[in-house]
Amino acid sequence: MGNNNIKLKYTILLQKKSNIQAGLAEEKNGQGNIPFFTSGEQIYFVDEAFAKECLVNGKNIFLSTGGIASVKFWNGCTSYSTDTFSLKSNKYFDSSFLYFLILGKIKYINIFLFRGTGLKHLNKSEFLNLSIPFYSLPIQTKIANYLDNKTSKIDRIMELLKKKQELLKEYKQSLINETIEGKNPNCFIENEERELIRKHENYKNVKLKYLIDKSVVGSDAPLLKITTNKTFENIYPILTNQTENFGIAGYVPYYDISKPCISISTRASIGNIFFHNYKFLSSGRIVCLFSSKNDIFYLKWALKNINWIFFSYGVAQLVINENVILNLSIPFYSLPIQTKIANYLDLKSEIIKKELENIKQQIENFKHYKQSLINETIENGGVNI
């Protein structure tokens, strides 16, 4: 079969380095039909006048050189940014085959060939010196065609799963909206209670500041003892504007909040709403709300029903003012109805959460299968095709 190893640099032709910044391409996006590749996942479409400095044709491979390793392939006229490594095969190799070969090694490239203390960058010398299998051109083309067919089907399945994820998230938000606004006939509210809501005899909008006991904004004082994980000394979470893990950014040896409350992120990643029933340290990036006279879980869901973008300001970084939050109006119901709404949304949210987790796992399984398929096919020279 003629399977020998050869260094990658002897199989490719390097395109010239681009001087076009990705940010400029983003501004020009949509003004043409020429694909423009950057180190990110987004593909922009620009006009020829903008792209002409680094315009390439035919089968080309584009590898990110900063941040996280990613590789893309395009057959046709295209261009690329300064943070992108552009290459194509020489006459002894098939560019499509090399694309799949690099894609199969992308995890290795990301872990071992991207280096730096801040933003990591590709070590181009080590990348070009990677040892790869050398097959005859007909075998390369056969492998590439097979993998193109198989991975395209896998990609379509993953796209459908991602679409399902988005639809579930949209459904969850519409469910919250309809339930909080008293428009959901499936909510666990008795018919007579629903009729009262409909007639506004038991429902009105009330400013948030009248529904809570107090609000607290943390401090952005320097944290010299923060650790990523919990330690013997650092046992209390510090809450910031994180979107995951209930807003927990790390752990510290002290706390300032000890009662159940809701936190709202107020800077950059705004409007993340979490309930907390443990001791923690609050930062200046959140507002904490306390309520003993209303169902705090209902308030959590009512706040999740708000489009926070409309109440924010700032250009480089979005910000929500505490006073704006406190003066927001939300639907107010009697305490029993608040509790029924909260319980209903808790139940439905948990069902949706499990379904989203299941879809996420399916996507990860397909990613793993795709990676294994590429590596195994290339390693065995396509003998099973």
Side-chain angles (χ1 to χ4, degrees), residues 60-108:
N60 283 275
I61 301 165
F62 303 93
L63 179 68
S64 61
T65 60
I68 298 174
S70 66
V71 62
K72 306 178 189 74
F73 177 84
W74 192 267
N75 185 8
C77 183
T78 185
S79 188
Y80 52 97
S81 66
T82 186
D83 55 4
T84 304
F85 204 17
S86 178
L87 52 97
K88 65 191 304 182
S89 68
N90 60 29
K91 64 181 181 179
Y92 301 107
F93 272 79
D94 185 303
S95 288
S96 299
F97 171 78
L98 287 181
Y99 162 72
F100 282 113
L101 190 145
I102 294 170
L103 183 59
K105 292 180 177 290
I106 203 69
K107 187 175 181 180
Y108 173 88

Side-chain angles (χ1 to χ4, degrees), residues 107-321:
K107 187 175 181 180
Y108 173 88
I109 293 169
N110 191 51
I111 295 173
F112 296 104
L113 303 188
F114 269 66
R115 298 184 186 139
T117 53
L119 181 68
K120 294 184 177 182
H121 288 86
L122 174 68
N123 185 311
K124 295 179 183 177
S125 176
E126 291 190 22
F127 169 71
L128 293 174
N129 279 287
L130 284 173
S131 181
I132 66 171
F134 182 18
Y135 302 111
S136 66
L137 193 54
I139 291 178
Q140 291 177 41
T141 303
K142 181 181 178 183
I143 290 172
N145 290 340
Y146 172 78
L147 289 176
D148 183 57
N149 177 263
K150 289 291 186 180
T151 59
S152 294
K153 292 177 180 177
I154 295 170
D155 289 340
R156 282 196 293 271
I157 293 171
M158 288 195 291
E159 284 302 314
L160 288 172
L161 288 170
K162 289 175 183 177
K163 181 64 177 177
K164 188 176 180 181
Q165 275 183 321
E166 293 306 310
L167 290 173
L168 272 173
K169 290 176 183 178
E170 291 175 11
Y171 167 69
K172 178 181 177 181
Q173 193 57 48
S174 66
L175 184 70
I176 294 170
N177 176 263
E178 290 178 358
T179 306
I180 293 297
E181 298 293 337
K183 301 172 184 176
N184 182 2
N186 298 314
C187 184
F188 299 145
I189 301 175
E190 301 300 326
N191 288 333
E192 56 268 25
E193 292 174 336
R194 193 178 300 118
E195 188 62 28
L196 286 174
I197 293 170
R198 193 159 31 242
K199 291 181 178 179
H200 295 270
E201 293 177 6
N202 200 35
Y203 159 47
K204 58 184 177 179
N205 284 325
V206 177
K207 288 186 177 181
L208 184 61
K209 61 184 177 183
Y210 300 124
L211 302 177
I212 63 171
D213 302 331
K214 66 175 181 176
S215 63
V216 172
V217 178
S219 170
D220 271 337
L223 297 168
L224 303 180
K225 294 186 177 182
I226 186 171
T227 56
T228 303
N229 298 309
K230 189 180 291 187
T231 65
F232 178 77
E233 182 182 15
N234 290 15
I235 61 174
Y236 301 110
I238 174 170
L239 269 56
T240 66
N241 58 343
Q242 303 286 319
T243 58
E244 304 293 335
N245 197 27
F246 298 96
I248 297 172
Y251 294 86
V252 291
Y254 45 91
Y255 64 90
D256 61 355
I257 303 293
S258 59
K259 293 183 178 180
C261 69
I262 299 167
S263 67
I264 307 173
S265 59
T266 57
R267 295 189 206 169
S269 179
I270 60 172
N272 298 316
I273 316 291
F274 298 109
F275 169 75
H276 312 278
N277 191 17
Y278 45 81
K279 297 175 181 177
F280 66 87
L281 180 68
S282 59
S283 73
R285 293 177 176 271
I286 63 170
V287 170
C288 297
L289 307 176
F290 302 81
S291 180
S292 59
K293 51 194 174 186
N294 288 286
D295 190 306
I296 197 165
F297 296 103
Y298 168 76
L299 295 180
K300 177 193 73 173
W301 288 114
L303 291 169
K304 283 179 177 286
N305 188 44
I306 293 172
N307 189 336
W308 294 96
I309 298 294
F310 293 146
F311 301 97
S312 64
Y313 64 92
V315 178
Q317 175 178 268
L318 293 178
V319 177
I320 307 173
N321 184 277

